[in-house]
Amino acid sequence: MTTRVPRCAVLGATGFAGRALVADLVAAGHPVRVLSRSAAHHFLEGVDVTVGNAEDPRALAAAVAGADVVFHLVHSLARADFAEQDRVIAERLAAAAAAAGVRQIVYLGGPRPVTPTSPHLASRSEVADILLGGEVPAIALQASMILGRGSAGVELLSRTARLPIRPRPRWTARRSRPVALADVRHYLRAAADLAPLRGRFDVSGPETISYHDLVRRCARVLRRPAALALPSPVWSHEVAARIAGATSPVPTAVAAGLFASLEHDLLPVDVPVETVLPPPAAGATSLDNALRTALGVPIPAAPGGRSYRQENAESSAAAPERLWRAITRLGGGRFPPAPAWALRGLLDQALGGAGLYRGRPDRPATGDVIDFWTVRHRDDARRELVLTADMRLPGDAELTLRAEPAGTGSLLRQRVRFTPAGRLGDAYWHLQKPAHDLVFGWLARSIARAAEE
């Protein structure tokens, strides 16, 4: 006996998350219907399109007819009365879904506020309350900030990250848990096969970070020079929204709603989504890789051509697993010898580079940033980590660290590879080699000793 694949209806299918969800559902074999305000929008072959407005009860009834699962991804910010519009849509959707015998409603919203909050967040929470109180079981997947290409939030973030001088108003100290669009897609897709359920579930990224530090992280992924952040006590989100509306594709009304939400910490307060839906097979996407994908920044590739190499080995009494753990815990300002790297970071900043950014994810993966290095490759089976330097250099510098078994202990294999860019790169390698020998020798010894602690 075969199980029927659930039929899905998607409201908000032309948004950046909606387009991705429709593609995922079609790829998984689900019959999909979308509600679109215009027939001019092009959807994948086989997608059933109902033309109409989500505020129209007849259009809603046609869109959800025969559906097992309805995904509600409609968010209004461009209109002054967006809260009233979203309230009406939610009430009419709940009624239409009940009349059509829909099994489950899945709503993608924002975090539930625990204090008086912005109209944007309050509206998202109100929509969740309406759907959760309806006849049809509903779940609200709550994400504070979704990092995906085409998102208005990412557009504002990337433009701010490119500024040489950035205002730093007090509200940029507020924290959130940004999540990759890839992870949100995973949970939305998994919800199509969920048994009927009610509740709020938080969809959070792996890091808690302030908006100010998120901008800095974005600038690092973009490999932008270090910027000057100026305290700006009178820089309101209304001013920021007007400037964004005049200088970016994001409408002022949309920017105003997003910036107003930054007046509050956007942290999870409800049940983690992992309690009801399986997490991504490879784990949560790191913040750096979420930004990298959203911004369209590829992982730096290893250059070809001639290169200089310096290799050395350092013994450790620790087991290879402990040595590998010490290697993967590098960073966050603890890249020994710290004083030498701090000096090099100041020099890099003076030359217009990224400077010494002191940060690292909990589990560095390919594409992540560790201080002023980017992980080019990570191989846990071989216990090998390959880093590429992001500092300004007349060439490409790569550092490979590998933990190998050796008797009752282990051996740290370290290789520095420098691919020069012309004669200036050749001169740089030879002039810096004595200092590099000292610094990288110290680094190898420090890692080996750290593994023994």
Side-chain angles (χ1 to χ4, degrees), residues 256-350:
L258 296 176
F259 283 134
S261 298
L262 297 179
E263 291 281 358
H264 314 274
D265 285 334
L266 305 180
L267 301 176
V269 296
D270 286 295
V271 180
V273 69
E274 296 86 355
T275 62
V276 294
L277 292 171
T285 304
S286 69
L287 179 57
D288 291 326
N289 276 314
L291 286 168
R292 192 175 295 281
T293 301
L295 299 167
V297 178
I299 297 169
R306 65 183 181 87
S307 62
Y308 297 101
R309 295 178 181 233
Q310 171 188 324
E311 299 187 14
N312 64 297
E314 187 72 27
S315 297
S316 175
E321 293 78 13
R322 291 183 61 85
L323 181 59
W324 175 235
R325 192 178 305 120
I327 291 172
T328 57
R329 287 180 175 176
L330 286 172
R334 300 184 302 276
F335 216 105
W341 293 116
L343 181 62
R344 185 62 181 87
L346 289 173
L347 176 61
D348 189 58
Q349 186 168 335

Side-chain angles (χ1 to χ4, degrees), residues 143-147 157 175-181 183 203-211 214 266-267 285-287 290-291:
S144 63
M145 181 183 294
I146 302 175
L147 300 175
L157 184 66
R175 301 166 300 150
S176 67
R177 292 276 295 276
V179 60
L181 175 59
D183 294 352
V203 182
S204 305
E207 290 190 49
T208 299
I209 191 169
S210 71
Y211 188 75
L214 182 60
L266 305 180
L267 301 176
T285 304
S286 69
L287 179 57
L291 286 168

Side-chain angles (χ1 to χ4, degrees), residues 303-310 344 376 389 391-399 415-430 432 436 440:
R306 65 183 181 87
S307 62
Y308 297 101
R309 295 178 181 233
Q310 171 188 324
R344 185 62 181 87
R376 185 172 276 168
M391 63 195 82
R392 287 188 176 271
L393 295 170
D396 180 270
E398 180 181 270
L399 172 63
R415 184 186 70 202
V416 178
R417 185 169 72 107
F418 182 72
T419 305
R423 292 185 177 179
L424 181 59
D426 292 323
Y428 171 84
W429 172 261
H430 292 294
Q432 292 291 316
H436 284 175
F440 285 107

Side-chain angles (χ1 to χ4, degrees), residues 399-446:
L399 172 63
T400 300
L401 299 165
R402 187 168 67 248
E404 298 180 353
T408 58
S410 56
L411 188 68
L412 171 64
R413 296 260 184 207
Q414 177 183 271
R415 184 186 70 202
V416 178
R417 185 169 72 107
F418 182 72
T419 305
R423 292 185 177 179
L424 181 59
D426 292 323
Y428 171 84
W429 172 261
H430 292 294
L431 289 172
Q432 292 291 316
K433 192 171 187 311
H436 284 175
D437 289 345
L438 178 64
V439 168
F440 285 107
W442 190 341
L443 172 63
R445 290 190 297 274
S446 298

